[in-house]
Amino acid sequence: MAKLDSFQERFQGELQAELRELEAREQRRSLAEIHGTNLCSNDYLELSRHPALKEAVERAVRDAKHIGGTGSRLLSGHAAAWEQLEEEFAEFAGTEAALYFGSGYLANLGLLTALQKKDDLVFSDALNHASLIDGMRLSGARKIIYPHRDLNTLEGGLRKHAHERGRKLIVTESVFSMEGDIAPVTEIMKLAERYGAGVIVDEAHATGVQGPAGRGIAVRDGIAQQLAAAVHTCGKALASAGAFVCGSAALKEHLINHARTFIFSTAMPPYMGEQIRGAVGLARTMDRERAGLMAKARRLASGLRSGGWDTGRSETQIVPLIIGKNEAALSAAEHLQLQGFAARAVRPPTVPPGSARLRFSLTCGISDDELLRLENSLSNWREKLPSSAAVARV
Ligand SMILES: Cc1ncc(COP(=O)(O)O)c(C=O)c1O
């Protein structure tokens, strides 16, 4: 009998072949350190290097009885301090209660799988984040994807399924992570009420940045208490880690009993609670930084638009530059890197096919000069393109 290839030989060969395939489609990702002016950070308020926050963490580590999570919150990982922090965060988010998860990804997965079952229905914005999509998939519920922010199609779907008995949830981001636009959450809430559905809003890119004192879009629009749940992540503007699912006290109890990503995961290190508390305290006071950040983003978006670039419908600190082809987006990113900007191309499947882009996420310390230099560098790149190369234009 001919000798079979060992598992290891075959396995490594298959992995290499798949990677080569990704490479051929310009879709192979790789890890690289950031250099130069950072245009792809979610540290919107630059709290990750704030001296007061660093001190809060140092103090918390020094005073901590232990610095490990030690077990799931349902076993040894619970402490009164977590409960206290959750109460404080619920007040920030405008809800009755909150439950802390180890990451936003885990929060969305845990929330959706705990709430939805096979006979239920989820209405999902076409541009929702992968963590929401994965949560819906894993829940087994039927999914109805409506085009991005399209209330007519959403209403059509809700009407069509109005007489079904299963639970219906509408799921949307508030600030969309790849577009930088904002969901019409008040109108979505009205539709939900009309057709007996609930609403989940993922505030990941709004937390700390949008709404009064950075409390998010649901607080801004006065609908936080009507939501089935809001998800606020701590790894972006709050420069920490983890995420809160915010809603009623009953939702919190339900999640403690059913959210598998909460139940079967080790608690975060206790000092992280102090980092989050410190960050929320600072973020609440940063109205000036928030206003400056939005003014810079508006200037960049309007400068790019008047230069003929497609920046979609950005109205926040996230400004996409939609280029179209993967190859062109990669070339633009490379050009900017050579000019001293840390910019990354975002390609399908993260964004819809044919809409490869650069995603500029601005932080409050970036200067007007740097933004002007960015616009000039992009113009230089476009001028050097062969005339046959298609770049999306408005
Ligand atoms: C909209 C949205 N939701 C959830 C997440 C996941 O959050 P985390 O990074 O804390 O896992 C992200 C992160 O990129 C996001 O953009």
Side-chain angles (χ1 to χ4, degrees):
M1 198 169 89
K3 183 174 166 287
L4 289 174
D5 286 350
S6 75
F7 171 82
Q8 200 49 263
E9 263 172 69
R10 200 159 17 97
F11 177 52
Q12 299 306 327
E14 286 161 3
L15 296 182
Q16 294 298 351
E18 278 179 36
L19 287 168
R20 278 194 300 275
E21 224 175 87
L22 279 178
E23 188 133 20
R25 296 202 305 266
E26 308 274 5
Q27 282 185 342
R28 180 163 171 177
R29 296 178 167 101
S30 58
L31 299 172
E33 249 182 78
I34 287 295
H35 297 287
T37 303
N38 195 344
L39 297 173
C40 51
S41 166
N42 297 325
D43 183 21
Y44 302 121
L45 299 174
E46 302 194 352
L47 283 178
S48 75
R49 44 194 159 110
H50 197 295
L53 191 54
K54 285 185 168 180
E55 269 170 38
V57 176
E58 276 168 19
R59 214 176 317 118
V61 170
R62 203 179 331 111
D63 297 347
K65 279 207 288 266
H66 51 87
I67 55 165
T70 78
S72 157
R73 288 272 297 280
L74 286 160
L75 296 170
S76 68
H78 186 59
W82 286 123
E83 206 96 60
Q84 172 69 27
L85 179 69
E86 286 168 344
E87 264 177 42
E88 289 167 21
F89 201 90
E91 189 278 319
F92 179 75
T95 57
E96 189 185 8
L99 184 69
Y100 180 62
F101 286 72
S103 77
Y105 186 90
L106 293 175
N108 282 337
L109 225 63
L111 172 65
L112 285 156
T113 51
L115 291 187
Q116 293 298 82
K117 293 188 291 297
K118 196 163 69 38
D119 293 327
D120 297 331
L121 259 179
V122 215
F123 297 84
S124 172
D125 187 287
L127 297 189
N128 275 341
H129 188 258
S131 55
L132 295 167
I133 296 170
D134 291 357
M136 292 178 234
R137 282 187 184 149
L138 201 58
S139 77
R142 285 171 299 148
K143 273 201 312 284
I144 297 185
I145 315 260
Y146 58 92
H148 183 48
R149 302 200 320 179
D150 182 341
L151 294 176
N152 287 333
T153 308
L154 172 60
E155 180 164 18
L158 286 164
R159 196 184 301 118
K160 184 168 164 206
H161 296 277
H163 299 295
E164 289 181 23
R165 297 250 302 281
R167 179 180 286 147
K168 288 165 217 145
L169 287 175
I170 305 168
V171 178
T172 183
E173 296 179 33
S174 57
V175 171
F176 281 89
S177 57
M178 290 295 145
E179 300 294 313
D181 57 354
I182 300 180
V185 291
T186 304
E187 287 76 12
I188 291 175
M189 194 70 234
K190 283 188 193 145
L191 287 180
E193 281 174 351
R194 190 173 310 149
Y195 293 98
V199 180
I200 292 177
V201 174
D202 180 340
E203 299 262 26
H205 296 275
T207 312
V209 193
Q210 300 289 339
R215 296 170 66 201
I217 296 296
V219 169
R220 183 196 75 178
D221 291 1
I223 59 156
Q225 290 198 354
Q226 291 151 256
L227 295 175
V231 177
H232 286 270
T233 64
C234 307
K236 301 181 195 296
L238 298 182
S240 309
F244 293 90
V245 176
C246 307
S248 66
L251 175 74
K252 176 172 178 169
E253 286 303 309
H254 181 83
L255 294 175
I256 291 171
N257 284 281
H258 294 283
R260 294 170 67 82
T261 57
F262 177 85
I263 299 169
F264 297 107
S265 199
T266 300
M268 291 289 269
Y271 62 82
M272 183 54 70
E274 291 306 313
Q275 185 163 344
I276 294 167
R277 176 175 287 122
V280 173
L282 288 166
R284 277 182 187 270
T285 67
M286 295 176 82
D287 280 346
R288 201 167 43 85
E289 285 78 359
R290 274 186 286 274
L293 177 59
M294 292 315 138
K296 281 171 195 158
R298 272 194 299 273
R299 270 200 298 280
L300 175 66
S302 79
L304 290 172
R305 279 170 196 150
S306 51
W309 297 98
D310 181 359
T311 58
R313 285 183 293 195
S314 163
E315 48 188 315
T316 64
Q317 74 281 8
I318 298 167
V319 181
L321 187 89
I322 301 162
I323 291 184
K325 292 196 170 140
N326 289 355
E327 208 182 350
L330 287 169
S331 148
E334 202 174 303
H335 176 82
L336 290 185
Q337 284 155 17
L338 291 172
Q339 304 294 312
F341 292 104
R344 288 293 181 83
V346 186
R347 290 158 282 166
T350 308
V351 292
S355 75
R357 65 192 62 192
L358 304 181
R359 169 187 181 269
F360 301 132
S361 50
L362 304 189
T363 60
C364 61
I366 195 159
S367 71
D368 287 332
D369 283 353
E370 282 169 310
L371 293 177
L372 209 56
R373 201 165 70 74
L374 169 64
E375 282 181 48
N376 291 335
S377 299
L378 282 165
S379 302
N380 292 343
W381 172 74
R382 193 169 52 188
E383 275 157 28
K384 282 196 214 130
L385 280 182
S387 54
S388 58
V391 175
R393 278 174 181 268
V394 282

